Amino acid sequence: MKIPAPVVQALRKRELAKTGHDLKPGILVLRHAGIELEGDLFDTMIAHYVIDGDARHRLDLLSENYLGYTLLEVDEQQKKKTQELFPDAERIKDRSVEAADVALQLQKKFEPIVSEPHCHKLFYEVEIPLIRVLADMEFEGIALDVPFLERYSAEMEKDIQKLKDEIFREAGCEFNLESPKQLGEVLFEKMKIPYEGKKTKTGQYSTGEEILTSIQKEYPIAGKILEYRGLVKLKSTYVDALPQHVHPRTHRVHTTFNQAVAATGRLSSTNPNLQNIPIKTERGSEIRKAFIPRDRQHVLLSADYSQIELRLVAAMSKDENLLQAFKDGLDVHAATASRLYNVPLEMVTREMRSNAKMVNFGLMYGMSAFGLAQRTGMTRSEAAAIIQQYFTQFPGIKRFMDEAIEKARKQGYAETIMGRRRYLPDINSKNATVRGFAERNAINTPIQGSAADMIKIAMIRIHRQFEKKKLRSKMILQIHDELVFDVRKEEVEEARAIIEEHMKNALLLEVPIVVDIGIGNNWLEAH
C-alpha cells in the first residue's frame, strides 16, 4: 500500500502532535515503510496505564467505558494479522481509522487527568518518551547463535534420557513420566512412599513441586523427577523455542516489550519472553551464551543495578544502620547477619549470611515467620525471633513498613517516588487474607515501582545521549534491573561512561547506587 505524500509529510512533521492507542507497533510499521513518526505523542493506552495500572487498557474496553461506543468486531484471523512484526498496512487500515478516531476522543477524557501534579511528570517525562526507546530496542533486536542452541538441545536430550533411565531404575518399572496419574500410582502405591497431601478432585495423588520437594530428602527419586521436569521445560520453552523467533528478514530476535502490563511499572516481554530465562541454575544461565553481538565489530555490554530494591528501602526508610552499611561499601547481607546474630562481621558464616539475605528481601514481600522457617529450615519460633531482632536492629525499616500500610489505608493507594499510584481497594477489607495481600502491595509497590521508574529514566537518558553523541552502539534489552547493549568496540569506553552515569543518577537518593558492568562476546560472558 502506497501512503499518499501529504500523509507522509504530516507523519514526519515535528510541529504536529500525534495521538493514538498503543503507538509503539504503529511506529515500527511506519519505520519499516521508511517513515519516522515525528512530533509530540499522546498514547491513550499509556495514559490509562498511568491513571490506573491495575485496570485493563484495551481500546475496546476504554471505548465502551469512557465513550459508550462499541468498536467494530475483528475476527481472530484478522487479529493475528495485525499482531505480526511487519504487518501489511492495507489489511489493517479500516480498523486503524476507527481506532485513531476513538483514541482522539479518549485523549480529551484522559488529558486533564494525566496533567494533574501526581501524573504529569510520570506520564510526560517517563512513560511517553519511553515509547520511542522501546520501539528502537524492538527494531534492533538481538542476534542469536542458533547452532549453539542446536548443540545444547542435543546435549540436554541425552541428560533428560539419562535421568529418565535413573528414575525408571529406582521405580522398578517404566511409565509415562508426563502423566501425573501414573507417577502418583508409582510413587505412593508401588513404592509405598507415605503420602501426606490432599488428593485432587478426580481422586488422584498430587505430584506437584511442593509434594515432591517435601519428600526428596528421604526419597531421591522425587529430586530426580523435579530435575527431569526442569530440564524438559528449559529445553522446550527456551532452547528449542528461541530459534523459531529468529525473524527471516532480519535474522534477529525481536522481543516485544510490554509497557502497560505490570501495575508496579515494571516492563515485561513477550514473543519471546526474555524476562523469565532462568539464571540461578547453571543449565538456565547457559542459555545466555546464545545471545551474541551483531557482528565482529560489536560486543555485548551488560549493566546491572546491584541490590537496587534494598538500596531503595534504605533510602526511603532512612534507616541509619542499613544506610551506613551501604555507605561503608559492606556486604550488606553479611552486615545484616552480624547484627542479627550479634557476632563480628568476620565471624559471619555462610548460613548466617544466607538467612540474613532471606530476611532482607523476604520482608519486602510480606514474608512471615512461617515463610522464613520454611525457606531456611529454622523452627517457627527461631524465625520469629530473627524477624523481631531484625526490626530491633533496623527500626527505620519497621517504621517505613507500618507507615506505608497506614498511608495506603488513608489514601486508598500506594505510591512510588515518581508518583506512580497503585490503588488498593482491599486495604481496609475485613477479610484478613484479602487485606494482608493489599498490605503487602502497600509495602512492595513503593519499592519495586520506584526501581521500575528508575531504570526507565536511565533508559531514556542513555538513549538520548547515544543519539546526541551519534554513537552507533544500541540498547537492545531490558531484563528486570539489567540493561543489555550492542556496543561498537571503538565506542566501549564512551558508551560505558554514559551508561554508568545515567543509571547511577536516574534518581537522586541518599544511598550509593552501584552498577555492575560486564563486557563479552555473549550475554553470559558480559553478565
Side-chain angles (χ1 to χ4, degrees):
M1 177 185 174
K2 185 172 174 59
I3 303 173
V7 175
V8 174
Q9 288 170 8
L11 292 169
R12 287 176 171 161
K13 196 168 185 179
R14 291 191 176 185
E15 296 77 18
L16 280 180
K18 313 300 190 297
T19 294
H21 187 86
D22 191 10
L23 285 166
K24 178 159 60 69
I27 290 171
L28 288 167
V29 169
L30 290 170
R31 180 172 295 177
H32 287 289
I35 303 163
E36 285 297 325
L37 185 68
E38 301 286 358
D40 292 338
L41 303 180
F42 192 100
D43 190 319
T44 52
M45 180 182 77
I46 301 302
H48 194 254
Y49 175 61
V50 168
I51 292 165
D52 187 357
D54 270 305
R56 291 187 294 171
H57 316 292
R58 289 203 331 249
L59 185 62
D60 57 341
L61 296 176
L62 299 185
S63 180
E64 288 178 8
N65 293 341
Y66 288 89
L67 306 174
Y69 174 75
T70 301
L71 292 177
L72 295 171
E73 285 192 21
V74 179
D75 62 45
E76 285 304 308
Q77 189 179 3
Q78 183 73 4
K79 193 175 179 182
K80 282 180 183 176
K81 287 175 180 176
T82 63
Q83 291 172 345
E84 292 172 3
L85 181 60
F86 309 122
D88 180 353
E90 181 69 49
R91 295 198 304 241
I92 60 172
K93 67 176 182 179
D94 291 340
R95 176 63 188 265
S96 299
V97 169
E98 182 189 42
D101 179 41
V102 169
L104 187 61
Q105 293 180 58
L106 286 171
Q107 179 185 4
K108 294 169 186 173
K109 300 277 186 181
F110 296 157
E111 202 163 24
I113 307 172
V114 294
S115 296
E116 290 176 10
H118 74 278
C119 282
H120 189 277
K121 199 168 186 179
L122 182 66
F123 180 70
Y124 288 104
E125 296 182 26
V126 180
E127 296 294 354
I128 286 295
L130 190 68
I131 295 169
R132 294 190 191 277
V133 177
L134 296 178
D136 282 0
M137 290 166 68
E138 289 181 21
F139 181 80
E140 291 298 329
I142 186 167
L144 196 71
D145 186 344
V146 174
F148 165 78
L149 287 174
E150 289 171 347
R151 292 193 300 273
Y152 195 35
S153 178
E155 185 185 315
M156 288 183 79
E157 187 57 46
K158 288 179 184 175
D159 291 342
I160 287 167
Q161 189 57 51
K162 186 181 174 187
L163 265 175
K164 210 172 182 179
D165 293 341
E166 288 176 10
I167 291 165
F168 291 159
R169 193 159 48 247
E170 286 193 36
C173 65
E174 290 192 12
F175 60 97
N176 182 1
L177 260 171
E178 312 305 324
S179 165
K181 182 176 185 294
Q182 288 187 34
L183 177 59
E185 288 169 356
V186 168
L187 293 179
F188 305 116
E189 290 181 8
K190 183 181 183 300
M191 294 184 71
K192 309 282 189 215
I193 294 174
Y195 182 74
E196 295 178 6
K198 291 180 181 178
K199 289 194 175 184
T200 65
K201 289 179 181 177
T202 55
Q204 293 180 26
Y205 296 102
S206 173
T207 56
E209 185 178 350
E210 191 177 337
I211 294 287
L212 295 178
T213 302
S214 69
I215 63 172
Q216 66 177 337
K217 282 186 181 177
E218 287 187 68
Y219 303 95
I221 190 172
K224 288 179 180 177
I225 292 164
L226 286 170
E227 188 182 352
Y228 168 83
R229 284 179 179 174
L231 282 182
V232 168
K233 185 178 180 182
L234 198 65
K235 183 176 179 293
S236 63
T237 308
Y238 296 106
V239 179
D240 293 341
L242 279 170
Q244 297 168 28
H245 289 280
V246 176
H247 196 273
R249 195 185 306 176
T250 67
H251 306 294
R252 296 165 72 79
V253 173
H254 300 263
T255 188
T256 296
F257 291 100
N258 304 306
Q259 195 178 347
V261 171
T264 56
R266 278 197 177 275
L267 296 171
S268 65
S269 77
T270 46
N271 298 320
N273 178 357
L274 300 181
Q275 302 273 356
N276 286 349
I277 294 177
I279 56 168
K280 290 183 180 177
T281 63
E282 188 179 341
R283 281 290 191 189
S285 60
E286 278 285 297
I287 294 170
R288 289 192 170 201
K289 279 187 181 176
F291 295 87
I292 55 176
R294 66 185 61 211
D295 54 37
R296 292 181 180 179
Q297 283 72 51
H298 288 75
V299 288
L300 289 189
L301 183 151
S302 164
D304 200 355
Y305 277 122
S306 170
Q307 299 173 329
I308 191 61
E309 292 187 3
L310 200 52
R311 290 173 193 271
L312 282 163
V313 169
M316 289 188 280
S317 69
K318 302 192 186 307
D319 183 89
E320 291 180 9
N321 291 332
L322 191 57
L323 277 172
Q324 198 59 50
F326 279 122
K327 287 176 180 176
D328 291 343
L330 300 177
D331 174 339
V332 74
H333 301 310
T336 301
S338 172
R339 288 184 172 277
L340 291 183
Y341 292 97
N342 196 26
V343 297
L345 199 58
E346 61 272 14
M347 298 288 287
V348 170
T349 65
R350 183 180 293 181
E351 186 183 7
M352 289 176 182
R353 185 188 181 277
S354 177
N355 289 345
K357 182 178 180 180
M358 194 73 69
V359 178
N360 270 332
F361 288 120
L363 292 180
M364 286 190 271
Y365 297 94
M367 185 175 67
S368 62
F370 175 72
L372 180 60
Q374 273 195 318
R375 287 168 175 79
T376 59
M378 299 179 191
T379 65
R380 201 182 299 193
S381 58
E382 285 172 337
I386 284 284
I387 290 174
Q388 184 57 49
Q389 174 71 347
Y390 185 87
F391 287 139
T392 301
Q393 292 296 325
F394 301 99
I397 296 177
K398 176 62 172 167
R399 186 171 58 249
F400 163 73
M401 292 170 69
D402 290 343
E403 287 176 357
I405 292 170
E406 191 55 37
K407 191 177 177 184
R409 280 208 180 102
K410 287 178 180 174
Q411 297 179 157
Y413 59 83
E415 199 169 30
T416 70
I417 292 171
M418 286 296 295
R420 184 188 302 278
R421 291 181 180 179
R422 184 172 189 184
Y423 290 92
L424 303 168
D426 297 323
I427 194 71
N428 293 306
S429 172
K430 290 178 181 177
N431 182 310
T433 304
V434 171
R435 185 178 66 251
F437 182 73
E439 288 174 351
R440 288 192 290 276
N441 279 334
I443 296 166
N444 177 245
T445 294
I447 302 164
Q448 198 176 87
S450 293
D453 293 342
M454 190 170 181
I455 200 164
K456 285 178 175 180
I457 293 166
M459 290 167 72
I460 293 161
R461 292 176 181 173
I462 292 165
H463 186 263
R464 283 175 181 162
Q465 276 299 107
F466 275 23
E467 285 192 333
K468 184 180 176 183
K469 301 274 188 181
K470 293 184 167 53
L471 298 189
R472 287 181 288 174
S473 301
K474 302 290 182 183
M475 179 161 43
I476 52 173
L477 289 180
Q478 191 264 25
I479 308 293
H480 304 307
D481 302 322
E482 177 186 7
L483 297 177
V484 181
F485 300 81
D486 223 343
V487 179
R488 293 278 302 186
K489 288 181 177 178
E490 66 272 19
E491 294 176 353
V492 165
E493 290 311 313
E494 189 176 8
R496 182 183 188 132
I498 291 168
I499 292 160
E500 188 168 15
E501 178 193 348
H502 290 294
M503 286 184 75
K504 281 185 173 182
N505 299 306
L507 291 176
L508 297 177
L509 302 167
E510 199 180 328
V511 66
I513 301 299
V514 174
V515 179
D516 297 321
I517 294 179
I519 294 162
N521 290 313
N522 62 61
W523 188 8
L524 181 64
E525 203 177 288
H527 191 265

